[in-house]
Amino acid sequence: MNLDEMLKKEKDKIESKIKIGSEILYLTKDQCIEAGPDVKQTLEIIEKTLDAHGRKEYEMPAKIGIHPYDDVFYHAMPAYVPGQMACGEKWIECYPRNPKEYGLPQTSGLMILNEILTGFPMVIMDGAWLTAMRTPAVTSIAAAALHPDAETFGMFGCGVQGIGHVRYIVHKLKNLKKIYVYDVRRETMERLVEQVKDEVDGIELIMAASPKDVAENCDVMSSATIITRENMAVVKKEWVHAGQTILPCDLNTFWEADIQRNADKYIVDSRDEHVLFDSMGYFPDGLPEIYAETGEIVAGIKEGRERKDELIVCSNIGMSVCDVAMAKYIFDSALERNLGTVLKL
């Protein structure tokens, strides 16, 4: 069956629930959670998507954005992944001030998926939950590809993403013995430990005393803090050593810039997006030379770790190919479960 035949069959399935061109399905966050993939299913979806990205079987322009305040961003993130018949866009915002000033999450967003044969929108859904699910999946898959024998993992930032990373990493790094977590707020570390302790059976969870404590003791590390143009350099280059794998989710913010520039391999999820962020001033000391994209490593197109003493940095800032693939799974599941509200266009 060719792609057009598959799309026609897909259209018929959708129209058994909603009338394309005059109706659209609306899914709340709770309905997305009910319909959506669990951790293992998410890892499967994202690994398939990264493989497609590495093989260039996608269309995804670099994310564009607006910045009403210096510390916030809005991003428009369209993508098309033919192999998963997923086409749409995420509109997402990040306001680091929200939790303190308004009692709201710092990240919000909406997903729209389109029916590919006609182009009409077919579903609108919450975009924050699927973002929280797919981000640690990318980190964990990259960690397994670059450092499969790691025995220690360190997580900087213990919010939603930190919790997700600890939950996911144990599925991909099979030799883990210790997980170090660090956050500037002790109560946030305590909440993470309480929420994940039953999911990391047999692995020691350590609330680190300092960022240095994490950096000096971990084979693999990730950070999910805030993204700023200014490099905060929380982790210093003298704390990092040969043979480590570093997987930032916060661009160039958290790690001293020399760590990324001096890495033996600097890998990114999207070359185009990192170049765009460089043009916007997020790499004031210059974008490091890019060795490969994460998907190329996952697909086996480029070598990952070739020597035990390589220092590897793999920066994953989020790709819309992953978002639309996750949204397509949620949409298909919602149709099967009769979830959501049908709205008139």
Side-chain angles (χ1 to χ4, degrees):
M1 187 181 297
N2 62 34
L3 181 58
D4 278 349
E5 290 172 334
M6 292 170 63
L7 289 172
K8 288 175 182 175
K9 184 177 180 180
E10 180 80 0
K11 183 174 180 291
D12 290 341
K13 181 186 75 174
I14 295 165
E15 289 203 304
S16 70
K17 302 289 186 177
I18 59 172
K19 188 174 181 181
I20 294 170
S22 62
E23 294 178 335
I24 191 167
L25 189 68
Y26 173 72
L27 295 171
T28 66
K29 178 180 177 180
D30 285 345
Q31 288 168 336
C32 288
I33 293 171
E34 184 178 350
D38 61 20
V39 169
K40 289 184 179 180
Q41 290 166 329
T42 299
L43 286 165
E44 292 171 0
I45 294 165
I46 298 305
E47 188 150 10
K48 180 178 179 180
T49 306
L50 289 173
D51 183 88
H53 186 268
R55 298 178 188 281
K56 312 305 178 191
E57 296 168 357
Y58 71 96
E59 184 176 358
M60 183 187 76
K63 62 183 72 169
I64 58 172
I66 56 175
H67 306 83
Y69 301 96
D70 286 342
D71 63 335
V72 309
F73 64 78
Y74 293 62
H75 282 157
M77 301 173 62
Y80 173 43
V81 186
Q84 283 149 287
M85 293 186 287
C87 176
E89 179 176 22
K90 182 170 75 174
W91 177 240
I92 193 163
E93 310 81 42
C94 183
Y95 274 67
R97 65 183 73 175
N98 272 358
K100 183 177 180 180
E101 295 186 13
Y102 300 104
L104 293 169
Q106 74 169 11
T107 301
S108 60
L110 288 175
M111 281 291 316
I112 299 175
L113 288 183
N114 296 74
E115 194 278 313
I116 297 169
L117 283 177
T118 66
F120 271 89
M122 56 188 183
V123 63
I124 299 173
M125 69 178 73
D126 167 74
W129 180 76
L130 65 84
T131 301
M133 289 290 283
R134 61 84 159 140
T135 303
V138 174
T139 297
S140 301
I141 291 163
L146 295 167
H147 211 132
D149 58 348
E151 296 185 352
T152 49
F153 174 71
M155 186 69 219
F156 295 103
C158 295
V160 171
Q161 281 300 332
I163 293 167
H165 274 71
V166 174
R167 280 181 166 149
Y168 277 70
I169 201 71
V170 297
H171 290 271
K172 298 301 290 184
L173 295 182
K174 302 298 186 180
N175 296 334
L176 280 181
K177 296 178 179 177
K178 296 180 180 180
I179 295 176
Y180 289 75
V181 299
Y182 177 79
D183 197 283
V184 293
R185 295 175 294 275
R186 182 172 179 83
E187 64 271 19
T188 307
M189 287 192 281
E190 291 172 347
R191 185 174 67 242
L192 181 151
V193 171
E194 181 62 27
Q195 290 194 24
V196 305
K197 63 183 181 181
D198 294 335
E199 300 175 50
V200 296
D201 187 43
I203 300 171
E204 185 179 1
L205 274 172
I206 300 167
M207 291 188 291
S210 68
K212 183 180 180 183
D213 190 23
V214 179
E216 290 184 340
N217 284 287
C218 292
D219 300 324
V220 176
M221 296 177 282
S222 185
S223 57
T225 58
I226 61 173
I227 295 177
T228 64
R229 286 185 175 86
E230 178 185 0
N231 178 250
M232 298 191 301
V234 175
V235 178
K236 310 301 180 186
K237 62 181 179 181
E238 59 265 27
W239 303 343
V240 172
H241 56 265
Q244 288 178 304
T245 300
I246 299 170
L247 299 129
C249 300
D250 38 26
L251 207 62
N252 194 44
T253 298
F254 196 76
W255 308 79
E256 189 171 358
D258 279 350
I259 295 172
Q260 303 189 70
R261 283 204 304 271
N262 296 336
D264 294 292
K265 287 188 173 86
Y266 183 66
I267 299 164
V268 300
D269 52 356
S270 168
R271 186 183 301 268
D272 290 344
E273 290 185 1
H274 279 72
V275 169
L276 176 63
F277 274 99
D278 182 32
S279 73
M280 294 165 62
Y282 284 90
F283 291 88
D285 300 308
L287 179 67
E289 181 180 350
I290 296 171
Y291 164 74
E293 291 181 316
T294 306
E296 292 176 313
I297 303 297
V298 172
I301 292 168
K302 290 200 174 179
E303 292 288 340
R305 180 173 294 280
E306 297 176 90
R307 305 189 318 273
K308 284 189 176 294
D309 65 350
E310 282 185 307
L311 174 62
I312 297 177
V313 175
C314 179
S315 173
N316 298 296
I317 57 174
M319 298 191 297
S320 53
V321 289
C322 297
D323 296 317
V324 297
M326 286 286 287
K328 184 59 166 53
Y329 180 100
I330 293 168
F331 175 63
D332 289 345
S333 176
L335 290 182
E336 290 177 6
R337 297 164 182 247
N338 292 314
L339 297 174
T341 302
V342 177
L343 303 174
K344 293 292 184 182
L345 279 174

